[in-house]
């Protein structure tokens, strides 16, 4: 518990040492492996994080470990493995909008825009105010040449979070690209 408390107070290096001590006592402590993996990921020690999270998953395949390992793969730009881990995570718990959104990000990054849109839709169904899911869905539509659908998603992100500058920015880019320069200027002005 001390390791978790240390991590939550930003003392991640100390937390990793505490989790290491727990693992030395019990090398099959899946929770300590998972927590140390999370700590390593937080301080950019991604290879070590992958090792610990993989060892945890070999002992106990749980949602949180798949989600965290998916994040590490995403940060390493290994989007195919990220897709696999986020897919496992949503199979274990399909009610987490952030996981659906990250699954969509990785799917989009592998070129599977259609599946990405479905993942973003699921994220925004679970949390209709999830502005990032709306923007990501809009970007996937934009990438597929579906300007009206993209505009609707960007506008939805703005309606649920009117002070979200990035939504104005991407909507402005879309409008500029469509030749709607006056509307683009309005959006860029709000950024």
């Amino acid at each position: 518990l001390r390791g978790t408390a240390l991590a939550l107070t930003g003392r991640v290096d100390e937390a990793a040492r505490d989790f290491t001590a727990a693992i030395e006592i019990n090398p099959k402590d899946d929770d300590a492996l998972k927590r140390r993996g999370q700590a390593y990921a937080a301080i950019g020690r991604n290879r070590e994080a992958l090792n610990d999270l993989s060892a945890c998953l070999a002992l106990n395949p749980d949602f949180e470990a798949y989600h965290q390992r998916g994040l590490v793969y995403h940060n390493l730009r290994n989007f195919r493995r990220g897709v696999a881990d986020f897919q496992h995570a949503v199979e274990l718990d399909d009610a987490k909008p952030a996981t659906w959104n990250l699954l969509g990000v990785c799917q989009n990054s592998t070129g599977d825009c259609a599946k990405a849109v479905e993942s973003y839709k699921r994220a925004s169904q679970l949390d209709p105010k999830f502005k990032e899911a709306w923007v990501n869905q809009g970007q996937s539509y934009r990438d597929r040449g579906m300007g009206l659908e993209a505009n609707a998603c960007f506008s939805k992100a703005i309606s649920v979070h009117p002070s979200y500058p990035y939504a104005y920015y991407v909507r402005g880019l879309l409008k500029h690209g469509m030749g709607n320069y006056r509307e683009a200027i309005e959006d860029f002005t709000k950024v």
Side-chain angles (χ1 to χ4, degrees):
L1 291 177
R2 187 175 85 161
T4 301
L6 287 166
L8 292 172
T9 58
R11 296 164 61 185
V12 183
D13 286 316
E14 292 175 72
R17 285 193 294 275
D18 267 26
F19 295 130
T20 297
I23 294 164
E24 288 171 355
I25 294 167
N26 179 5
K28 293 186 185 261
D29 184 342
D30 61 289
D31 192 60
L33 285 161
K34 176 173 47 181
R35 301 293 173 219
R36 186 174 71 177
Q38 291 171 318
Y40 283 155
I43 56 177
R45 292 170 63 179
N46 291 318
R47 294 293 169 204
E48 292 156 295
L50 287 176
N51 289 339
D52 280 353
L53 293 164
S54 296
C56 168
L57 287 165
L59 295 167
N60 179 23
D62 81 339
F63 166 84
E64 194 175 4
Y66 275 120
H67 180 93
Q68 185 65 53
R69 193 172 72 174
L71 278 172
V72 174
Y73 282 131
H74 172 267
N75 292 340
L76 291 171
R77 304 185 61 75
N78 189 335
F79 299 115
R80 292 198 189 288
R81 287 196 172 172
V83 166
D85 276 356
F86 289 127
Q87 189 63 52
H88 284 301
V90 298
E91 288 168 5
L92 292 168
D93 185 348
D94 70 348
K96 304 282 192 219
T99 306
W100 282 104
N101 186 58
L102 287 163
L103 174 59
V105 169
C106 287
Q107 289 166 324
N108 199 60
S109 296
T110 62
D112 199 344
C113 296
K115 282 187 181 175
V117 165
E118 293 308 310
S119 294
Y120 298 138
K121 282 182 181 179
R122 181 72 176 126
S124 59
Q125 287 168 352
L126 291 167
D127 180 0
K129 294 186 178 195
F130 194 172
K131 64 186 186 289
E132 293 86 358
W134 287 111
V135 166
N136 290 337
Q137 184 179 341
Q139 289 176 314
S140 285
Y141 281 134
R142 184 200 60 216
D143 292 347
R144 294 167 65 193
M146 301 169 72
L148 294 176
E149 292 84 351
N151 186 58
C153 289
F154 297 147
S155 296
K156 181 65 177 179
I158 290 166
S159 76
V160 298
H161 200 288
S163 61
Y164 185 40
Y166 189 65
Y168 288 104
Y169 174 73
V170 291
R171 190 173 73 176
L173 287 175
L174 175 72
K175 289 179 178 182
H176 185 273
M178 297 171 75
N180 299 333
Y181 302 117
R182 285 191 176 103
E183 292 178 24
I185 290 169
E186 288 175 25
D187 280 347
F188 290 141
T189 301
K190 293 177 182 171
V191 173

